Amino acid sequence: MGDGTSQRDSPMARCIVRGGARMSIIAFDPGLSGGFAILRRDGEIRAADLPIIGEGTQRRIDAANLADAIREHGPYRLAIVEQVSAMPGNGAAGMFRFGQSYGTILGVLGALAVPVRLVPASKWKKALGLDSSAETSRARAIETWPSNAAIFSRKKDHNRAEAALLALWGQKNGGAA
């Protein structure tokens, strides 16, 4: 960089991932009610709702706060993002907001130089023996991480649970999509 420091010394470099078995996996269940989870190599899990700003039709993912959260818990071996597509029955405005949130997640990860793997829900859920039920995923997350059951305790925490299980799938499969 022009100030005598190398790119490796910059705060951003801490998020850059180039292998490293000690690094965490971060996973995302996208959407405005989505969640993300960080699975450390030692099996410790952290999960939270995606940060949101705005009201009503102005609601969107808070990219700055998401980037801060990602940086705070790095470095990462990779990020796994559930691959999404249009869902029949959703209106155009809702699908646009959903796509915008998906793009924000991918954009923040790209800006932080975290490698991304997109994985369809059908693939990772089948591999973990799950059905399409959000409640089944929440129950499995509580069973898998009983000491962290509180982060999955509410019915609406199914997005956190799915992100955590997606991270587990990534750890078991080396992130291969």
Side-chain angles (χ1 to χ4, degrees):
M1 303 172 82
D3 60 1
T5 62
S6 73
Q7 210 171 12
R8 272 217 188 289
D9 297 331
S10 74
M12 273 301 209
R14 288 187 211 115
C15 288
I16 296 174
V17 182
R18 302 285 182 251
R22 293 184 147 166
M23 296 182 183
S24 301
I25 293 176
I26 188 167
F28 294 85
D29 184 21
L32 290 177
S33 59
F36 70 103
I38 299 160
L39 181 60
R40 292 178 20 150
R41 177 104 170 124
D42 63 8
E44 179 187 339
I45 192 75
R46 295 177 187 207
D49 299 326
L50 289 169
I52 303 296
I53 57 173
E55 299 292 327
T57 60
Q58 296 300 308
R59 286 184 47 169
R60 63 196 179 281
I61 291 181
D62 184 342
N65 279 329
L66 179 59
D68 288 345
I70 292 170
R71 274 192 216 101
E72 179 182 346
H73 298 288
Y76 301 97
R77 184 164 42 120
L78 75 142
I80 311 261
V81 180
E82 187 174 85
Q83 188 173 8
V84 297
S85 58
M87 294 175 278
N90 286 358
M95 282 310 304
F96 182 81
R97 282 194 302 275
F98 186 78
Q100 187 179 39
S101 71
Y102 185 66
T104 298
I105 292 166
L106 295 176
V108 168
L109 291 167
L112 296 175
V114 178
V116 175
R117 298 287 183 270
L118 303 176
V119 182
S122 59
K123 181 171 186 160
W124 71 263
K125 286 184 175 191
K126 181 179 180 182
L128 294 179
L130 297 167
D131 58 24
S132 62
S133 164
E135 190 55 31
T136 302
S137 295
R138 196 172 71 82
R140 175 69 64 84
I142 290 169
E143 176 186 307
T144 304
W145 298 283
S147 62
N148 295 97
I151 61 176
F152 309 117
S153 63
R154 304 169 301 170
K155 284 203 180 282
K156 73 177 196 169
D157 292 335
H158 65 88
N159 293 311
R160 294 176 180 182
E162 293 206 341
L165 293 166
L166 183 54
L168 180 64
W169 176 90
Q171 186 180 65
K172 288 181 174 187
N173 292 280

